[in-house]
Amino acid sequence: MTFNPDAEIQSGNTRSGGGGGMLPRGGGGGRIALGGGGGCLLLVIVIVFTLMGGNPMDLLGGGGTQTEAASSGEGGALEQCSTGEDANTDDKCLVQGVVESADSLWAQLGPDSGIEFREPQAVIFSDQVQTGCGAATSDVGPFYCPADQTIYVDDSFFGDLQSRFGADGGQFAKMYVVAHEYGHHIQNLSGTMSKVDHQETGPQSGGVRLELQADCYAGVWANHASTTTDDNGVTMLQPLTDQDIQSALSAASAVGDDHIQGDVSGGQVQPETWTHGSSEQRQNWFMTGYQEGTVEACDTFGADSV
Ligand SMILES: [Zn+2]
């Protein structure tokens, strides 16, 4: 899938660099207490919602409402990103473009589903970033922080998605990643996120169902993406091709827990530890969302088995 070169993707909601000037705006996100290693102080962090099973201790601490606004000169609006053409050639602009397209869609779907819709923020960072959920490194992978309602994508991840995790490198593989994190924002607004027991793991756990629902919401966006419009009414994306769907499925497979535990990390596949679902589960729920195109189709919590 590519952006319509003439579409306008300008936005003040997507920025680069650290979290300069970001103030947490409240919202969901239960707190969990984790004992720091080696007799360190008890750290209190706010849960983040990642694309794949990262180590929450990759969050370096801080967090909650005590986040310091980074005084970075590096951050700021993505001035190079104004049209769909830019989104087709620059991955930072791609992130901004997907967020803008998803804003357009969920501003309609959200209220229809009883969700009071608000646009999320997005930040593209290098190496490390300050967030409303604490400081995070790029090791954690793309994530959503409910405390500041912001999607975080580190700018080296799309390369890793292909070279380390084995996605096919298509544009739509990257778009799926952004749309998944956007799905967590919808779950935050709907209140679903705060109802889940985040300690539970395993293929049928609440945490996995939450992740699979975010995959399904990414599919819902894919279903509607080519009809989303910019502020001038111009269509933002071109119709999906079969190859686009293959790219999305390759990404969903690449970030499956079984694939990461086995093929990527070279370890044992341990289903009881899963937090995001297998490659097959993730592909299935993306496709459910894509084929049905409705929020209702993504009721992973109501399904007997996911
Ligand atoms: Zn996720």
Side-chain angles (χ1 to χ4, degrees):
M1 176 187 272
T2 51
F3 287 85
N4 178 354
D6 299 330
E8 188 191 282
I9 62 157
Q10 275 174 337
S11 168
N13 290 348
T14 301
R15 302 180 303 283
S16 67
M22 255 187 312
L23 292 174
R25 292 191 287 176
R31 283 163 177 254
I32 53 172
L34 294 174
C40 296
L41 290 172
L42 191 73
L43 292 177
V44 178
I45 66 166
V46 176
I47 295 177
V48 300
F49 295 86
T50 57
L51 177 72
M52 55 203 179
N55 179 358
M57 294 308 285
D58 288 335
L59 285 168
L60 300 177
T65 53
Q66 291 140 32
T67 303
E68 292 174 32
S71 59
S72 65
E74 48 169 341
L78 300 175
E79 307 214 332
Q80 75 271 33
C81 305
S82 58
T83 66
E85 177 69 38
D86 300 326
N88 289 335
T89 54
D90 178 322
D91 283 347
K92 291 182 180 176
C93 303
L94 175 144
V95 173
Q96 179 167 305
V98 172
V99 170
E100 287 301 290
S101 168
D103 282 346
S104 166
L105 174 65
W106 287 104
Q108 294 175 10
L109 289 187
D112 289 350
S113 311
I115 294 166
E116 197 178 322
F117 179 73
R118 268 193 292 178
E119 294 180 353
Q121 305 288 305
V123 170
I124 300 158
F125 69 98
S126 304
D127 302 326
Q128 189 174 329
V129 65
Q130 283 288 341
T131 83
C133 296
T137 70
S138 52
D139 293 341
V140 85
F143 65 97
Y144 173 76
C145 169
D148 58 18
Q149 301 193 10
T150 300
I151 294 164
Y152 292 90
V153 181
D154 111 71
D155 62 7
S156 66
F157 180 75
F158 290 140
D160 287 351
L161 182 64
Q162 182 179 6
S163 63
R164 182 166 170 228
F165 295 99
D168 73 1
Q171 292 294 89
F172 204 75
K174 306 170 199 169
M175 294 180 180
Y176 152 80
V177 170
V178 181
H180 171 95
E181 295 307 334
Y182 201 108
H184 285 314
H185 176 62
I186 299 302
Q187 294 172 321
N188 187 22
L189 296 181
S190 71
T192 307
M193 188 174 268
S194 58
K195 292 182 193 148
V196 172
D197 177 356
H198 300 286
Q199 311 284 3
E200 199 194 346
T201 59
Q204 302 297 325
S205 64
V208 164
R209 287 171 192 259
L210 192 75
E211 292 298 333
L212 296 176
Q213 185 176 66
D215 285 333
C216 188
Y217 286 167
V220 171
W221 170 75
N223 174 293
H224 294 278
S226 67
T227 58
T228 60
T229 53
D230 68 14
D231 291 344
N232 304 316
V234 176
T235 304
M236 294 193 73
L237 288 140
Q238 293 166 350
L240 269 76
T241 64
D242 290 344
Q243 183 55 50
D244 291 325
I245 294 304
Q246 286 309 313
S247 290
L249 290 174
S250 82
S253 174
V255 293
D257 286 324
D258 52 345
H259 178 68
I260 291 175
Q261 289 179 340
D263 293 341
V264 176
S265 305
Q268 279 237 292
V269 176
Q270 297 177 297
E272 70 277 9
T273 66
W274 289 355
T275 55
H276 285 68
S278 68
S279 298
E280 184 184 4
Q281 286 177 301
R282 302 196 69 165
Q283 290 182 316
N284 284 345
W285 281 99
F286 172 82
M287 283 305 286
T288 296
Y290 172 62
Q291 286 165 347
E292 302 293 328
T294 64
V295 172
E296 294 74 31
C298 299
D299 185 8
T300 54
F301 294 93
D304 288 341
S305 172
V306 292

